[in-house]
Amino acid sequence: TELAGYRILLVGVHCALPELLLREQARGDGARAEWELARVHQDMRYDLEINTMGISPEDNANLIWSHIQGGCILNGAIDTLDDLNMLG
């Protein structure tokens, strides 16, 4: 794949539906949060999962950085592609 040779940290970013709906309304874009929430994480195998509810973007960035600095094994992207039969 085009990602061969790269180290990829696959991060699942979660938020509760009521908050997603509020954010979507504030942006004024299309009402897709409920539809997308039911699908976006389906069949994904993340290396790390974070939640944006009550946690600042800076704190979530620090969680990601700590995960990287901890010498994490990055299998999420490859495992997900394999599960979806997208590896050649």
Side-chain angles (χ1 to χ4, degrees):
T1 73
E2 291 81 15
L3 302 176
Y6 291 95
R7 294 189 70 221
I8 301 163
L9 175 65
L10 194 58
V11 180
V13 180
H14 301 278
C15 184
L17 180 59
E19 178 65 18
L20 289 173
L21 293 172
L22 287 173
R23 293 176 186 183
E24 187 173 75
Q25 185 178 25
R27 285 192 310 269
D29 55 8
R32 299 181 51 97
E34 192 166 0
W35 183 88
E36 289 176 349
L37 183 61
R39 292 162 179 79
V40 70
H41 298 290
Q42 186 176 354
D43 299 321
M44 298 301 295
R45 295 186 52 191
Y46 298 113
D47 296 305
L48 175 66
E49 296 188 52
I50 60 175
N51 193 319
T52 62
M53 293 290 300
I55 300 174
S56 72
E58 293 81 10
D59 286 343
N60 273 319
N62 286 332
L63 287 171
I64 294 168
W65 183 244
S66 294
H67 194 75
I68 292 168
Q69 295 293 25
C72 60
I73 297 172
L74 306 177
N75 291 331
I78 296 298
D79 291 345
T80 297
L81 291 173
D82 189 36
D83 289 350
L84 298 172
N85 297 314
M86 295 178 72
L87 290 179

